[in-house]
Amino acid sequence: MKLQLLAVLALATYLNWNELHTVREINAAVVNVSGRQRMLSQRTAMLALRMVCTTDREEQEKLRSCLLADLDLMERSHNGLLNGDAEAKLPGHPSKVVKAMYFELPINLDQRVRQYIKEARALALSRADELAHDNLHLRYILTAASKELLESLDAVVSQYQKESEAEQLAIEINQAELYQQSCAATAQAIAQAKQLEQALEELRQAQTQLIQTEKMSALGQLVAGVAHEINNPVSFIHGNLSHASNYVKDLLELVQLYQQELSNPTPYLKDRSEDIDLDFLEEDLPKVMSSMKMGADRICQIVRSLRNFSRTDEEVMQEVDIHEGIDGTLLILQNRLRASGNYSGIQVIKKYADLPQVECYPGLMNQVFMNLLGNAIDALEMGTAQDSPEGRVDDRQCPRPTISIRTEVSRPNVVSVRIADNGLGMTEDVKARLFQPFFTTKPVGKGTGLGLSISYSIVVNKHNGSLACVSELGQGTEFCIEIPIRHAQELSATKLGEQGSRGELSPVQPLFQSLIGI
């Protein structure tokens, strides 16, 4: 009977956990969408001002299109918050307090949002000759976006957050009470209750870790599979090339012997020799075989690098050669480094110290190297484009784009990897926001703003290390990675436990603040 009672209480706890999870999802969606409304109000104001200020007709039409798209999204989000949107997980039916903020003075947010959208659409649909700084629609947009509408949106977002925290707290208190009842139900079932609790906790941690590694794991498996499929036929070709070279050599020697023995070949043989240019064939065929061997060696090297880069053993720390991971990443990025046409390419200078084997998660560290080297290449390409419209770098006027990689044992039990470029550098404001999720200085479509944030989490949270940036405008940029050579067993277990509860990216609160603070 006591076991049955415990099972009922455990089921209630499980159902309550599902309810909490659902409430969290809904509350997160409501808070995120309300915060997005704030971001969209600022973005549409910026697009409207740029559309009025630009004299480029083509750019003006692009801005007009972006403005209309953002206004449609703003209107859909506004209606979803009030009436519900299943796709966006918005329940609608706001509380009395929020409803009053939407439809009653002094805030009256519904009217302000709809009036703002109306004015912005009117500006977007205005003729080119009507787009001026004194345009009434523009003046309304800038005033509302900087004061009245912004303050109203901030007030509603704050209220949504308060209600979300209160609702989640009530459910969590209820869950704690059910858990206490299940523990007190019977002394005989304490062991089973603890096992169930541990299983649920492990499941939650496994789900969190799965979300963190899903994309990179899928990519790693894809690359590993492709490398494996390429490796078999390439190995077959590579293994037979030496035999084929010997056969070709023997056949050419035999042809030469035939030429010596047949001092008076028939006219047909003479004509055939001239048709195939036998002398050139004897000279060029060994070169062809040698080129094929070089190509096969190169493919084998690339396949080895791909298989090393796509290691899927990041769940277990291993002792690896850091230089091998860096070189493999450089090989994968080789097509972006080499010169082509008028582009001089990027010079890579490696200053490797004699490092010991480093205990780390190889796949995750390769991801960090890929992010940092990819960003360095992007920065150098942007600098090259600004220095020369044709994409050509004149060594007499500016230095060749260069990436420097230096490794060393910086202090006892700590290895450092420094990746520096001689690009344009960055301002103090950019450096201050560098590791924030979704922050990027790249054009739309060029980056998501997650690479450095994820790299920071991997180095700091996963490896108990540090990732720092040193940069000055016009002086290039240097990233310094420092990780322990050996990890204490207890420290590694502690970090993994903390990471399971935190997630791979920065905590949710700073992420939300960065979203609504745009």
Side-chain angles (χ1 to χ4, degrees), residues 135-191:
N135 186 288
L136 294 179
H137 301 305
L138 177 62
R139 292 173 61 185
Y140 178 88
I141 291 169
L142 296 179
T143 301
S146 63
K147 186 170 177 59
E148 296 177 354
L149 180 60
L150 184 63
E151 292 175 353
S152 299
L153 287 170
D154 284 341
V156 171
V157 170
S158 177
Q159 182 62 29
Y160 273 131
Q161 285 180 301
K162 290 178 182 178
E163 293 181 0
S164 171
E165 292 169 358
E167 187 173 2
Q168 290 186 41
L169 178 61
I171 296 177
E172 287 172 353
I173 292 174
N174 187 27
Q175 184 184 19
E177 292 175 351
L178 287 175
Y179 178 72
Q180 290 176 355
Q181 292 174 16
S182 66
C183 291
T186 175
Q188 298 176 357
I190 289 178

Side-chain angles (χ1 to χ4, degrees), residues 322-348:
I322 287 292
H323 297 152
E324 183 179 331
I326 298 173
D327 291 338
T329 306
L330 287 171
L331 185 62
I332 294 172
L333 295 170
Q334 189 63 40
N335 65 309
R336 298 188 62 190
L337 297 170
R338 66 166 62 98
S340 61
N342 292 329
Y343 179 55
S344 65
I346 297 175
Q347 180 183 18
V348 178

Side-chain angles (χ1 to χ4, degrees), residues 169-455:
L169 178 61
I171 296 177
E172 287 172 353
I173 292 174
N174 187 27
Q175 184 184 19
E177 292 175 351
L178 287 175
Y179 178 72
Q180 290 176 355
Q181 292 174 16
S182 66
C183 291
T186 175
Q188 298 176 357
I190 289 178
Q192 296 181 7
K194 288 183 178 180
Q195 291 177 359
L196 177 60
E197 180 186 357
Q198 182 180 0
L200 290 174
E201 180 64 20
E202 290 175 354
L203 176 62
R204 187 182 67 81
Q205 293 182 3
Q207 289 172 337
T208 303
Q209 292 294 330
L210 180 62
I211 293 172
Q212 296 172 5
T213 59
E214 181 179 359
K215 288 186 179 180
M216 284 305 299
S217 175
L219 178 61
Q221 291 175 4
L222 175 62
V223 173
V226 172
H228 177 75
E229 293 300 323
I230 295 175
N231 186 59
N232 290 334
V234 169
S235 298
F236 175 79
I237 295 171
H238 186 266
N240 285 286
L241 275 177
S242 58
H243 301 297
S245 298
N246 293 332
Y247 298 158
V248 168
K249 181 179 178 182
D250 293 340
L251 288 174
L252 290 177
E253 290 178 353
L254 182 61
V255 169
Q256 291 174 356
L257 289 175
Y258 270 115
Q259 287 177 327
Q260 295 174 6
E261 294 292 332
L262 295 176
S263 56
N264 295 316
T266 63
Y268 176 76
L269 287 177
K270 288 183 178 181
D271 293 340
R272 186 59 180 161
S273 296
E274 293 176 357
D275 289 341
I276 65 176
D277 197 353
L278 184 59
D279 293 338
F280 174 76
L281 188 146
E282 290 177 346
E283 178 184 355
D284 192 57
L285 188 54
K287 297 179 181 178
V288 171
M289 297 302 297
S290 177
S291 299
M292 292 170 64
K293 186 176 185 305
M294 290 176 61
D297 289 340
R298 177 67 172 169
I299 295 174
C300 289
Q301 183 184 7
I302 293 174
V303 169
R304 283 195 299 270
S305 296
L306 287 174
R307 295 176 70 179
N308 177 67
F309 180 80
S310 62
R311 301 175 72 158
T312 56
D313 52 11
E314 64 269 14
E315 293 184 359
V316 179
M317 278 199 172
Q318 295 190 0
E319 294 184 0
V320 298
D321 183 356
I322 287 292
H323 297 152
E324 183 179 331
I326 298 173
D327 291 338
T329 306
L330 287 171
L331 185 62
I332 294 172
L333 295 170
Q334 189 63 40
N335 65 309
R336 298 188 62 190
L337 297 170
R338 66 166 62 98
S340 61
N342 292 329
Y343 179 55
S344 65
I346 297 175
Q347 180 183 18
V348 178
I349 300 175
K350 295 187 287 188
K351 298 179 181 178
Y352 289 168
D354 186 13
L355 298 183
Q357 296 283 300
V358 178
E359 190 178 28
C360 66
Y361 299 98
L364 294 181
M365 286 307 301
N366 288 341
Q367 183 183 354
V368 173
F369 298 145
M370 177 66 75
N371 288 337
L372 296 183
L373 288 170
N375 280 351
I377 294 173
D378 290 339
L380 292 173
E381 288 177 345
M382 291 172 62
T384 299
Q386 293 186 24
D387 290 333
S388 173
E390 294 82 13
R392 180 178 66 256
V393 175
D394 189 346
D395 292 334
R396 295 171 298 179
Q397 298 178 359
C398 58
R400 180 179 177 183
T402 302
I403 294 176
S404 301
I405 306 173
R406 180 160 58 93
T407 63
E408 62 180 347
V409 178
S410 56
R411 54 183 188 274
N413 196 41
V414 175
V415 64
S416 69
V417 179
R418 298 179 181 271
I419 299 175
D421 65 71
N422 61 344
L424 299 177
M426 61 185 74
T427 63
E428 292 297 324
D429 179 62
V430 171
K431 276 202 303 181
R433 303 177 59 191
L434 200 58
F435 298 112
Q436 291 182 5
F438 306 112
F439 173 73
T440 179
T441 59
K442 299 176 184 177
V444 177
K446 290 290 186 179
T448 61
L450 288 174
L452 288 178
S453 174
I454 291 176
S455 298

Side-chain angles (χ1 to χ4, degrees), residues 95-109:
S95 67
K96 291 182 179 180
V97 176
V98 173
K99 196 171 183 180
M101 297 173 77
Y102 270 102
F103 296 105
E104 298 177 10
L105 293 174
I107 296 180
N108 202 7
L109 180 60

